[in-house]
Structures are given as structure tokens and as C-alpha cells.
Amino acid sequence: DDEEDEDADGADGMDEGGSGKAKSKSKSENTTDDDEDMDILLGDNAANEESAGASADVELAMARAEHLTARRPLLLNRVLLRQNPHNVGEWIKRSKLYMDLGEVDMATSALEESLKSVIARKSVNGSPSSLVLTLVDIHEKERKDVDASRRVLERICSKNEYDFQDTEDLAQCHAAWVELELRQENWDMALDLARRSVSGKIGASGAHGKRSSKAIKGLAKSLRLWNLLFDLEESLGTVQTTKDAYDRALEWKVATASHVLNYATFLKDHKYFEESFAAYERGLGLFPFPHPGAQMLWKNYLTMFLERYEGSKTPR
């Protein structure tokens, strides 16, 4: 019996010893995992750090990791721009990422860099004018620096620093400059800019050669700019300057049937009845049947004539 008791006690001791070794092994594995995580953050020397300075190193490593995570979209964006520096959408996205981080100066710097990197004829995922308009918007609304916005537009519209492929892109920039001055209540300057944009006299030779010159010359036929000019002339100009603008559009054959109708109505409202009829006749000469605008012009012309003379005068 005594021998059996001793054997049982020995077995119990072996069980306890084995359990203790297993626990020790599990604890050792957990410690190893923790050490490996620390090595990732701090480097190979982290395992030997047991002093009070180790806590500061951990905080620094965590701050670096958080900083890297926060800037991950910017790093990915930079990779995409290196693959294709003419991606307009990615440049605008880059400026927005900087704005989200509160780095306004970096946002404007990115857009300035984009104007030097993006070649208009190779641009994708957006128009080059959107780079200019975004830059102007940041200066005006975020930095509250209207003068900086004006300088950007002056470089683009007057000094032709960017080589636009499409006239409409350049027209958007000119229209943005006019609208900027309107927001600042610089009425005379806005009207002067609108007149100059369609004058055909901007930059006889572009800063970038024939392609830029071609885009600039096309401004004189931009409906966007002519519509803007007509609106400003009727609200800010005189009757004579408004007539001059419409007459020039008719002479250069850039006016539409709607422009003719607006011109005739403007003259009628100011009691220039005969000139109003003459405007209709010029318009009908430009838009004869079967042009879609011919019916509209004839209908309004005859209706106005009959209202004016009530059958007392033979239609011309």
C-alpha cells in the first residue's frame, strides 16, 4: 500500500510539473508575439528596451504610424501622378486631400505644380481649366486673398502662361475673372474684361506659339463670353454700347437666333422700333428657312409689326 501511495504522489507531481511547463510555454509565446509587434514599430532594438525611455519610444512609433496612415491617400495619389502626370482629376484630388488636412498652402502649391505638369492635349479625367478655377477658388474662399486669385487669372488670361488646346477652356477662365470682379462689385472692370475677352485683340501671338494663338483667337466666337457680355451690357452698359455689342456679333456672324430676338426686344423696349425691325431683318438674312430659328424670328417680326402699325402700313 505504501508503494502505491508513493506512485500516485509521483504521478500527481508529474502532472503539476507538465501543466506548469505548458503555462510557461504559452506565456513565452505571447511574450514573443508582443516583442515581434514592438520590433515592427520600434526596430530590432525594441526587445532590449526595458527602461523608462521605452514608453516614449512607443508613443513616438505610434505617432509615426498614425501619421503614415493619415497620409496614405496622398502617397497613393503621388504614385498615380507619377504614372500619368496629365491626370487632371488626380491633381484636383491632391489639392482636396491637402485641404482636408488643413494644409492650404500645400493645396495651392499642388495646383501650381499641376499647371506646369499637365499638357492640355494629353490631359485626361477633366479639363485643364478646372485646375485654374480650383486654384482661384481656394485663394478667394479659403485664403481670403482676392488679389492672389486675380493674379492667377491675369497670368492665364492676359499673359497666356498656360497653353490651352480648347478655346472653351480658356473662355471659362475669362468668364471666371469677370465673375470674380462682379462678386467684388467692380462693375466697370467686369464689363471691361467681358468686352476685351471677345475683342479678338488678346495676345496676337501666344506665349506658347501657334496653338495658344489659335485658342486665343477662338475667344471671339465663344458663345459663353458673348452671352456674358450681352447680359452685362444690358444691365451695366448704355444703350449705345449694348447696340454696338449686338451689331458686332451680327457682323461677325457669331450671334444666334435667340440673340437676334433679344436684340430686337431690347430695341423695342427702348422705343427704337425701326431699328428693332432692322435687327429682325438682319437676323432673317443670317437664318433663312429651313433654319430652325427662322420660324421663330418671322413669327415675332410679323407680330411686332402688326402690333405697332395695326394694318395701317404695308409690311416691308
Side-chain angles (χ1 to χ4, degrees):
D1 292 339
D2 291 340
E3 290 177 359
E4 292 178 359
D5 291 341
E6 289 177 358
D7 291 341
D9 291 341
D12 290 342
M14 291 177 65
D15 292 341
E16 290 177 358
S19 176
K21 290 179 180 179
K23 291 180 180 179
S24 177
K25 182 179 180 181
S26 175
K27 183 176 180 181
S28 176
E29 290 176 351
N30 291 336
T31 302
T32 302
D33 291 341
D34 291 342
D35 290 344
E36 290 177 353
D37 291 341
M38 291 298 294
D39 289 344
I40 293 174
L41 290 175
L42 299 176
D44 295 336
N45 295 328
N48 299 324
E49 292 283 346
E50 296 181 358
S51 63
S55 177
D57 290 341
V58 170
E59 293 180 1
L60 177 61
M62 292 300 296
R64 288 175 176 173
E66 291 173 359
H67 177 74
L68 183 62
T69 302
R71 300 185 74 83
R72 178 180 177 277
L74 277 171
L75 298 175
L76 178 60
N77 173 264
R78 173 55 71 183
V79 171
L80 294 175
L81 286 175
R82 284 181 178 177
Q83 293 175 348
N84 184 4
H86 310 294
N87 192 325
V88 174
E90 287 298 328
W91 280 110
I92 293 178
K93 180 180 178 180
R94 187 169 185 81
S95 71
K96 290 181 178 179
L97 289 172
Y98 278 125
M99 292 299 297
D100 292 340
L101 294 173
E103 300 179 14
V104 180
D105 290 340
M106 291 300 296
T108 57
S109 297
L111 291 170
E112 289 286 1
E113 183 183 354
S114 72
L115 293 175
K116 298 176 182 178
S117 302
V118 176
I119 298 176
R121 68 177 183 276
K122 296 182 180 180
S123 62
V124 295
N125 196 21
S127 61
S129 62
S130 60
L131 298 172
V132 178
L133 300 183
T134 303
L135 179 58
V136 170
D137 189 67
I138 292 176
H139 279 306
E140 181 186 5
K141 297 180 180 179
E142 301 298 332
R143 302 184 66 184
K144 310 298 181 184
D145 191 349
V146 177
D147 288 336
S149 296
R150 191 176 286 119
R151 285 194 296 271
V152 171
L153 290 168
E154 183 178 4
R155 285 162 42 202
I156 298 298
C157 300
S158 296
K159 298 180 181 179
N160 309 316
E161 287 191 4
Y162 187 81
D163 182 9
F164 284 100
Q165 178 79 1
D166 186 3
T167 296
E168 189 58 23
D169 267 355
L170 183 56
Q172 287 186 40
C173 296
H174 278 272
W177 195 357
V178 174
E179 291 165 0
L180 173 68
E181 299 304 339
L182 289 175
R183 288 193 294 272
Q184 304 306 313
E185 299 185 358
N186 295 329
W187 316 120
D188 292 340
M189 186 172 184
L191 184 55
D192 181 65
L193 289 171
R195 290 169 178 167
R196 189 173 63 179
S197 67
V198 294
S199 66
K201 300 178 181 179
I202 297 178
S205 58
H208 295 277
K210 294 182 179 179
R211 186 174 293 110
S212 179
S213 179
K214 180 179 178 180
I216 294 169
K217 290 178 180 179
L219 291 174
K221 295 184 178 181
S222 170
L223 289 179
R224 176 191 295 271
L225 296 178
W226 278 107
N227 288 333
L228 182 59
L229 176 60
F230 293 148
D231 288 342
L232 293 181
E233 288 289 7
E234 291 187 23
S235 58
L236 300 176
T238 64
V239 173
Q240 187 58 49
T241 59
T242 304
K243 289 166 61 177
D244 291 342
Y246 276 111
D247 286 338
R248 185 149 45 94
L250 289 169
E251 180 182 351
W252 290 0
K253 297 182 180 181
V254 296
T256 65
S258 296
H259 291 152
V260 175
L261 182 59
N262 292 340
Y263 185 25
T265 302
F266 172 81
L267 293 170
K268 174 188 173 184
D269 292 341
H270 288 81
K271 311 302 181 184
Y272 293 93
F273 296 106
E274 287 301 318
E275 291 187 40
S276 178
F277 296 140
Y280 275 119
E281 291 162 6
R282 291 179 69 182
L284 290 169
L286 290 174
F287 307 106
F289 283 109
H291 190 280
Q295 183 176 356
M296 175 187 69
L297 292 176
W298 272 112
K299 181 179 179 180
N300 284 276
Y301 176 36
L302 296 175
T303 299
M304 178 182 168
F305 191 92
L306 293 175
E307 288 177 354
R308 172 65 177 163
Y309 294 107
E310 296 182 353
S312 62
K313 186 173 182 178
T314 304
R316 56 183 82 185

